[in-house]
Amino acid sequence: MDLTYTDEQKAFRDEVRAFLDDKLPKRQRDKVAGGKRLTKADYEEWHAILNERGWLGVTWPAEFGGTGWDAVQRHIFEEETTRAHAPRIVPFGLNMLGPVLMKFGSKAQQDHYLPRILNGDDWWCQGYSEPGAGSDLASVKTTAVREGDHYIVNGQKTWTTLGQYADKIFCLVRTSKEGKPQQGISFLLIDMDSPGVEVRPIVLIDGEAEVNEVWLSDVKVPVENLVGEENKGWTYAKYLLTHERTNIAGVGFAQAGLENLKRIAGLEKAGGRPLIENPFFAAKMAQVEIDLMAMATTNLRTIAAAAAGQAPGAESSMLKIKGTVIRQEINALTRQAVGPFAMPFVSEALDEGSNVEPVGPDYALPATQAYFNNRKLSIYGGSNEVQRQIISKTILEL
């Protein structure tokens, strides 16, 4: 297996860099680099720019309007957009629902929903987790009862990221209580404007209401919004999560975070000298960089396997664990480097147009915000404890 880029891949990397230099708005680049909060309009603007170039459906085949890129090209694109401080592509419609519809959806669902995802006509959010069903998704209790041409849906979803922006939600619902819990789950597409849908914000430790509760009370959903077969939703859910957990590794985000850490450590002083020269702190930085290099190599191996037609398995769990642990360690070291200026956390200063002045250097507030917000990395998408169980069963056969 060759882990180096070919001449064609290097040329593609240059093409991506030129595109980012030309098309990425400076205002968005500065907001991302400065740790400022992005608005719905920011995400929609960047999505539209990518879609105009034909680069929004990064994981999609060309037949559905996607790039048709192979796994290496997708990796290069993610690496370069992260390095350029571009807004992330919101994953729920593009990277989660889209592939599910392509593999399991009806022709009518594909024709209707896929173009609307690319054009920005629909903003999707994910309705998986519930108060009693997070990493243990088989315990979902939200019910969907068939009545004629509709399902009547009742229940509650939680930790719904960016649900305040969404007009659609794809949900796991229970359509049968017979047999094993996994056998009674179905995959439904629900209009957020339907009567009986209520979104309640959840304010996180960093002061932002990024996630939400979604309450469903006697919500009528047309039967044609069922994806695939009734009671087969567990299969579709697992397919979606395998791709989500690979993306959660966030190699590009970790690399950008490490570069930022080195920059800050070069500016902050300890004992009258740059912190980066402190042997104890430098050793911690070296260890996390070694771990990141090893994970990046593992990620490339997984990409090479995917390019050869192999579906990711336990490798997704390995990347999810290592990727989240490394990013959290980088966040912790960055916050340590900032020192006492990490303490006075003024959340409002991260909002666009805020007149609130942050305390300390301009990199102090974003460092603390990233530390707080990224505690979630080892929990969502299936907690790291659950991922270790998957590895122990599939690889170690315990």
Side-chain angles (χ1 to χ4, degrees), residues 155-173:
Q156 177 192 359
K157 297 296 179 179
T158 194
W159 310 123
T160 308
T161 303
L162 301 183
Q164 71 271 28
Y165 297 155
D167 45 38
K168 308 284 184 184
I169 182 172
F170 55 91
C171 281
L172 294 184
V173 296

Side-chain angles (χ1 to χ4, degrees), residues 230-266:
E230 191 174 276
N231 300 327
K232 299 293 186 181
W234 186 250
T235 298
Y236 317 145
K238 289 194 299 181
Y239 178 81
L240 183 154
L241 285 173
T242 298
H243 291 270
E244 180 189 11
R245 287 166 185 163
T246 304
N247 293 332
I248 286 174
V251 174
F253 289 109
Q255 291 170 335
L258 182 61
E259 290 178 9
N260 185 52
L261 169 60
K262 290 180 178 180
R263 179 179 69 88
I264 293 174

Side-chain angles (χ1 to χ4, degrees), residues 314-345:
E315 295 86 355
S316 295
S317 295
M318 294 167 60
L319 287 168
K320 200 272 182 179
I321 293 170
K322 291 301 296 182
T324 55
V325 169
I326 289 170
R327 287 178 65 185
Q328 288 175 344
E329 178 63 15
I330 291 172
N331 294 150
L333 289 173
T334 305
R335 187 164 175 261
Q336 290 175 28
V338 171
F341 288 116
M343 294 294 291
F345 181 62

Side-chain angles (χ1 to χ4, degrees), residues 196-273:
V197 178
E198 181 184 0
V199 179
R200 302 178 187 174
I202 301 173
V203 179
L204 299 178
I205 193 172
D206 66 348
E208 185 177 7
E210 181 187 22
V211 297
N212 304 267
E213 296 175 318
V214 178
W215 293 79
L216 305 158
S217 302
D218 293 330
V219 179
K220 293 182 66 175
V221 181
V223 169
E224 57 262 29
N225 285 19
L226 173 71
V227 175
E229 299 179 46
E230 191 174 276
N231 300 327
K232 299 293 186 181
W234 186 250
T235 298
Y236 317 145
K238 289 194 299 181
Y239 178 81
L240 183 154
L241 285 173
T242 298
H243 291 270
E244 180 189 11
R245 287 166 185 163
T246 304
N247 293 332
I248 286 174
V251 174
F253 289 109
Q255 291 170 335
L258 182 61
E259 290 178 9
N260 185 52
L261 169 60
K262 290 180 178 180
R263 179 179 69 88
I264 293 174
L267 295 172
E268 291 292 322
K269 297 293 192 295
R273 303 184 64 178

